[in-house]
Amino acid sequence: MEQRVLGRTGRNVSVIGLGTWQLGADWGDVSVEDAKAVLDAAVEAGVTFFDTADVYGDGRSEQVIGEYLRGRPDADIFVATKMGRRASLDPANYTLDNFRAWTDRSRTNLGVDTLDLVQLHCPPTPVYSSDEVFDALDTLVAEKRIAAYGVSVETCDEALTAIARPGTASVQIILNPFRLKPLERVLPAAAEAGVGIIARVPLASGLLSGRYTKDTVFAANDHRTFNRHGEAFDQGETFSGVDFATGVEAAAEFAELAPEGATPAQTALRWIVQQPGVTSVIPGARSPEQARANAAAAALAPLPGATLEAVRDLYDRRIRAQVHDRW
């Protein structure tokens, strides 16, 4: 699989990685055995980048990854985790002492001395402008608790503020055919600064797979049931902030753009991979089959200009009014 340099980390990662929120919580039940099978399928398909967080299953996702990698010393995997949501989202909680405690816990969960990359996990907006916060992150690097740091953001303005920080290695942002706003300013700014872009929520919580209808019912412990209107966390994390019924209709139209031999989900991933400035995209998977299918999108031919124009037209007609100005 194609490898790209992840911004200021200087490390190569696969253009299609693996998001592991599903392996921790909020997507229904996934056993440890099934989670490890997903990790194994991804590695065998060429994935070299796992993304996790300390709150996914209260550390379960990190622990599963750590245990899996201890059994696969041959696998050269870059693991990015996140911190900042183990306490209330108050800027006063973003301190060096808390950072040390949170990263020490992640180091234990993953079984490593130094974390490859730690990202602030969608913190309150004022955090991005705090010199003290970024000084604390620099201290973690100096102490070799972490090798590099980045941010996971909700808005484009937050991304731009973080990109301006000289120590920011990467920015993780929602980017998919239903969320085009980052293309305007964020991706060009990141490319100019040498900051990596990690595209998250690439399938709009599964909408872009084309598998759902307006009558689809998700499990009670699935965020696609309990967070449709932002009841638990930012609404943009669920279906990219798109109303479910609208999203289902738009996804059916998007599915018609898939080239022969490719699924709608693979088409969405291919679209993201070829956006200038993107380093890696991190779809989740709940089964080995999904992990393999996602990874296979890296081998698709670039989408032609007519398809790119059709994606833009679909976004402008169906989606833009709901999400563009809000995020």
Side-chain angles (χ1 to χ4, degrees), residues 34 37-38 41-42 45 263 266 284-296:
D34 288 345
V38 167
T263 67
Q266 290 171 329
R286 293 189 58 187
S287 70
E289 293 76 19
Q290 285 181 344
R292 285 190 285 266
N294 290 340

Side-chain angles (χ1 to χ4, degrees), residues 154-156 179 181 234-236 240-241 323-327:
E154 297 289 3
T155 71
C156 290
R179 185 72 75 86
K181 191 172 183 178
D234 191 272
Q235 186 181 351
S240 293
V323 304
H324 198 83
D325 290 339
R326 182 172 182 182
W327 283 283

Side-chain angles (χ1 to χ4, degrees), residues 16-214:
I16 293 180
L18 179 70
T20 62
W21 186 9
Q22 285 92 334
L23 308 188
D26 298 329
W27 292 81
D29 296 325
V30 178
S31 70
V32 172
E33 292 73 20
D34 288 345
K36 289 182 179 179
V38 167
L39 297 175
D40 201 48
V43 170
E44 293 304 316
V47 170
T48 63
F49 180 40
F50 292 167
D51 179 83
T52 185
D54 59 2
V55 291
Y56 293 169
D58 193 28
R60 180 180 188 259
S61 177
E62 289 181 329
Q63 291 164 5
V64 170
I65 290 171
E67 185 175 339
Y68 171 77
L69 292 179
R70 284 191 291 277
R72 286 294 307 266
D74 59 311
D76 183 18
I77 305 298
F78 185 101
V79 180
T81 191
K82 307 183 209 60
M83 69 175 181
R85 291 196 163 236
R86 295 191 57 73
S88 62
L89 292 178
D90 180 345
N93 288 325
Y94 291 76
T95 65
L96 178 57
D97 285 345
N98 280 340
F99 287 178
R100 283 172 172 153
W102 295 338
T103 54
D104 284 352
R105 184 176 184 271
S106 291
R107 290 160 65 204
T108 298
N109 285 343
L110 287 164
V112 298
D113 294 327
T114 303
L115 299 168
D116 292 333
L117 176 70
V118 169
Q119 304 154 97
L120 295 180
H121 197 172
C122 300
T125 299
V127 168
Y128 296 96
S129 300
S130 170
D131 292 340
E132 291 78 7
V133 166
F134 285 87
D135 287 346
L137 292 169
D138 287 333
T139 298
L140 296 183
V141 174
E143 294 175 346
K144 297 185 178 180
R145 281 181 163 85
I146 67 176
Y149 62 82
V151 296
S152 182
V153 305
E154 297 289 3
T155 71
C156 290
D157 285 344
E158 291 171 347
L160 292 168
T161 302
I163 288 168
R165 293 280 177 176
T168 300
S170 63
V171 168
Q172 185 174 142
I173 192 167
I174 298 175
L175 176 66
N176 60 55
F178 287 175
R179 185 72 75 86
L180 304 193
K181 191 172 183 178
L183 302 181
E184 296 176 357
R185 296 172 61 204
V186 173
L187 267 61
E192 183 176 355
V195 171
I197 289 289
I198 302 166
R200 64 189 179 92
V201 197
L203 301 181
S205 306
L207 269 180
L208 286 161
S209 70
R211 296 187 293 111
Y212 304 144
T213 70
K214 293 179 182 179

Side-chain angles (χ1 to χ4, degrees), residues 225-270:
T225 294
F226 66 76
N227 193 59
R228 290 196 182 186
H229 305 289
E231 297 91 333
F233 38 81
D234 191 272
Q235 186 181 351
E237 304 291 342
T238 301
F239 302 129
S240 293
V242 179
D243 170 75
F244 182 64
T246 301
V248 167
E249 292 177 355
E253 190 171 340
F254 176 81
E256 297 176 0
L257 303 177
E260 184 177 356
T263 67
Q266 290 171 329
T267 304
L269 296 175
R270 178 65 247 185

